[in-house]
Amino acid sequence: MSTPATEAYVNSYVQNELSTVNEAVDASWTLLCGILVFVMQLGFGLVEAGSIKSINTQTILLKNLLDVSIVTIGWWAIGYSLSSEGGNSFAGGSARSFFSLANSDWVGLYFN
């Protein structure tokens, strides 16, 4: 026979564990979706490389690599703070810029 205090402790423990599991599943799903976006970019490069002469293949693949790199750095430095809450009706404020992120906001930065 269990006491109400024991049941409350068990319920609290289970809720805490479920919350931890939910955060891990959310982060894993976000990471998987991000990986699929980068694989899709690779597919675009292969389609473009297949539609041109073979002498221009390196140029097209370099263009796609630079595209991903520049956009990633731009999102890292500027885009995330513009899309987050705060600011005005047009763009977000600088309170959530990359340089002031808490540890729990990294998943949001990755796939916002």
Side-chain angles (χ1 to χ4, degrees):
M1 184 176 282
S2 63
T3 64
T6 306
E7 289 179 10
Y9 173 76
V10 169
N11 286 338
S12 172
Y13 179 78
V14 168
Q15 290 298 324
N16 187 25
E17 290 298 313
L18 284 177
S19 174
T20 303
V21 169
N22 282 339
E23 289 176 10
V25 168
D26 287 346
S28 299
W29 176 251
T30 300
L31 184 62
L32 175 66
C33 290
I35 289 169
L36 289 176
V37 167
F38 284 109
V39 169
M40 183 176 63
Q41 187 73 16
L42 175 65
F44 289 148
L46 293 177
V47 166
E48 290 177 6
S51 65
I52 59 170
K53 292 182 179 182
S54 62
I55 197 165
N56 297 326
T57 302
Q58 285 182 336
T59 306
I60 290 296
L61 294 178
L62 179 64
K63 178 195 71 86
N64 283 340
L65 179 66
L66 287 175
D67 176 39
V68 169
S69 301
I70 291 170
V71 168
T72 300
I73 291 170
W75 178 255
W76 173 78
I78 299 168
Y80 181 67
S81 64
L82 292 177
S83 70
S84 52
E85 68 266 358
N88 54 32
S89 61
F90 177 70
S94 63
R96 292 191 54 151
S97 68
F98 169 75
F99 304 105
S100 64
L101 284 179
N103 286 338
S104 61
D105 291 337
W106 287 100
V107 173
L109 172 69
Y110 180 71
F111 201 76
N112 185 0

